[in-house]
Amino acid sequence: MSNPSLVLNKIDDISFEEYDSPVIDTPYDVIVEVKKTGICGSDIHYYAHGKIGPFLLTKPMVLGHESAGIVSQVGSSVTGLKVGDNVCIEPGLPSRLSDEYKSGKYNLCPHMAFAATPNSTEGEPNPPGTLCKYYKCPEDFLVKLPSHISLELGALVEPLSVGVHASKLAKISLGDNVIVFGAGPVGMLAAASAKSFGASNVLIVDIFDDKLAMAKKIGVATHTFNSKTEGNVDELLAKFEGHHPTVVLECTGAGPCINMGIAALAPGGRYVQVGNAPGPVSFPITEFATKELTMHGSFRYGYNDYKTGVAILDKNYKNGKENAPIDFEALITHRFKFKDAIKAYDLVRGGNGCVKCIIDGPE
């Protein structure tokens, strides 16, 4: 069976290719017919620069890792899924032998095969991405979607799980006041996670008023702040109307945002670094120490984060779209057929007001 795929060959070079479809090798394998895939900023970074940190593109790679689809085949020992089920795909497979996997931090596994992320091992192919017709995945890295959660929303579970992971690290609970830096897809979904975990107030910081307006409109932010036009940390705290920030989720990696986040936090607060920086940044270590802040790095997502993301969507839409507290679907601003996937990548690369772009699976 043919498996049409979207392939990044090198910088500025994407093409459609035909590969053999994956086959079931173990009793726990599942074949998913991919129906919806979101474009991630990392995809665009590989497209434009050919690398992210230590991950260097040296051979062709199937793109895509934010996907949902329909189960088309199951292995003989699969019990939790059946043909026809709608699922979202957790796209990173750790080594089952690593210490990180055994200790419950499989997202830190040094042997992780993550979809659409270059493999540096000489002679080994890159892990397959999900922008294809058929994708193979172990049963335990698939999560069944409730009947009222669309496949498009299923494709949002991947970036939503990044926010879930950060919220868990920050131990967000009822009564917390949270600041999120960055109103891109990850920042928006981190804010949505914080609200879902019980945060009383969520302020989003960005430099674009249209993004901040969207954050309020769709229900992920109670407050917003434009750090370019509205001033410094004192003005930020005034805009937060006396709510003392107990948590910062920093989703930009920008030095000024990192410094503002530390300055804004209440003593004893919790800080989670979600966004990546292009290099070293200055850090207010004295204020961090004297406030006795707690800081966490955050990398992708781990055990149960995907299931939590699906549960957030399930609860949000349980009374119908018209009564949903958060309009997750509004984040999907552009949609493309698979045959127009290269146009979709060029659109996202160019900006053009795109928040989240979804590509249909091959016909």
Side-chain angles (χ1 to χ4, degrees), residues 152-168:
E152 278 195 342
L153 287 172
L156 285 183
V157 173
E158 197 276 345
L160 176 58
S161 295
V162 174
V164 166
H165 191 64
S167 294
K168 287 182 179 180

Side-chain angles (χ1 to χ4, degrees), residues 13-34:
D13 182 1
I14 295 178
S15 62
F16 294 100
E17 304 294 339
E18 296 282 343
Y19 295 130
D20 291 334
S21 293
V23 296
I24 289 177
D25 294 315
T26 80
Y28 298 99
D29 284 343
V30 176
I31 307 294
V32 178
E33 184 174 352
V34 179

Side-chain angles (χ1 to χ4, degrees), residues 145-150 153 313-315 317-321:
L145 295 171
S147 59
H148 58 284
I149 301 301
S150 69
L153 287 172
L313 293 175
D314 187 19
K315 182 179 180 181
Y317 288 103
K318 69 177 180 179
N319 294 318
K321 292 182 182 180

Side-chain angles (χ1 to χ4, degrees), residues 9 36 49 71-72 100 108 120 130 139-140 152 182 185 226 234 266 305 329 344 362:
N9 299 296
K36 304 290 179 180
H49 305 289
V71 173
S72 64
E100 291 79 8
L108 304 181
S120 61
T130 57
E139 177 187 14
D140 58 330
E152 278 195 342
N226 188 317
D234 291 329
D305 292 339
E329 290 181 324

Side-chain angles (χ1 to χ4, degrees), residues 33-349:
E33 184 174 352
V34 179
K35 293 297 185 181
K36 304 290 179 180
T37 299
I39 296 179
C40 176
S42 65
D43 296 333
I44 300 301
H45 211 79
Y46 287 124
Y47 184 23
H49 305 289
K51 64 178 180 178
I52 298 178
F55 301 105
L56 177 65
L57 183 73
T58 60
K59 49 207 167 194
M61 174 178 76
V62 177
L63 288 162
H65 61 267
E66 301 180 1
S67 291
I70 302 172
V71 173
S72 64
Q73 295 181 56
V74 297
S76 59
S77 296
V78 172
T79 58
L81 296 170
K82 64 182 185 304
V83 172
D85 283 344
N86 287 356
V87 294
C88 53
I89 302 167
E90 184 174 343
L93 301 181
S95 165
R96 308 286 189 165
L97 304 177
S98 70
D99 288 342
E100 291 79 8
Y101 176 81
K102 292 174 182 176
S103 67
K105 294 185 177 291
Y106 66 80
N107 57 312
L108 304 181
C109 174
H111 311 292
M112 175 74 76
F114 197 87
T117 299
N119 181 351
S120 61
T121 304
E122 186 68 30
E124 290 294 320
N126 287 320
T130 57
L131 257 172
C132 54
K133 186 163 188 178
Y134 297 106
Y135 186 81
K136 182 173 70 174
C137 188
E139 177 187 14
D140 58 330
F141 280 81
L142 297 170
V143 180
K144 185 176 177 180
L145 295 171
S147 59
H148 58 284
I149 301 301
S150 69
L151 288 167
E152 278 195 342
L153 287 172
L156 285 183
V157 173
E158 197 276 345
L160 176 58
S161 295
V162 174
V164 166
H165 191 64
S167 294
K168 287 182 179 180
L169 288 169
K171 295 182 170 60
I172 294 174
S173 62
L174 293 171
D176 272 317
N177 296 307
V178 179
I179 299 178
V180 176
F181 286 87
V186 169
M188 295 270 205
L189 291 168
S193 298
K195 287 196 74 177
S196 300
F197 274 62
S200 297
N201 297 282
V202 177
L203 181 145
I204 293 188
V205 180
D206 205 278
I207 60 173
F208 295 107
D209 286 331
D210 56 341
K211 291 183 177 181
L212 295 173
M214 172 180 266
K216 266 200 166 181
K217 182 179 179 181
I218 69 174
V220 300
T222 57
H223 301 72
T224 61
F225 184 78
N226 188 317
S227 57
K228 188 175 183 179
T229 62
E230 294 190 84
N232 58 24
V233 68
D234 291 329
E235 282 78 18
L236 181 151
L237 292 173
K239 190 76 177 285
F240 213 12
E241 300 175 345
H243 305 301
H244 217 164
T246 51
V247 174
V248 162
L249 305 180
E250 206 298 303
C251 300
T252 72
C257 293
I258 294 169
N259 281 265
M260 183 177 278
I262 296 297
L265 269 174
R270 293 98 72 197
Y271 177 102
V272 180
Q273 187 61 46
V274 182
N276 291 320
V281 297
S282 65
F283 186 81
I285 193 68
T286 300
E287 187 168 12
F288 176 82
T290 56
K291 283 185 174 181
E292 288 198 358
L293 303 179
T294 299
M295 183 175 185
H296 292 276
S298 185
F299 186 57
R300 294 176 180 154
Y301 28 76
Y303 176 67
N304 239 14
D305 292 339
Y306 247 68
K307 288 182 179 178
T308 303
V310 171
I312 287 172
L313 293 175
D314 187 19
K315 182 179 180 181
N316 188 71
Y317 288 103
K318 69 177 180 179
N319 294 318
K321 292 182 182 180
E322 65 280 359
N323 298 311
I326 297 173
D327 186 3
F328 286 93
E329 290 181 324
L331 293 172
I332 304 170
T333 54
H334 294 77
R335 296 169 173 84
F336 285 83
K337 297 293 186 184
F338 182 76
K339 65 182 178 65
D340 296 318
I342 298 175
K343 295 179 182 177
Y345 270 78
D346 288 336
L347 175 115
V348 176
R349 183 175 176 177

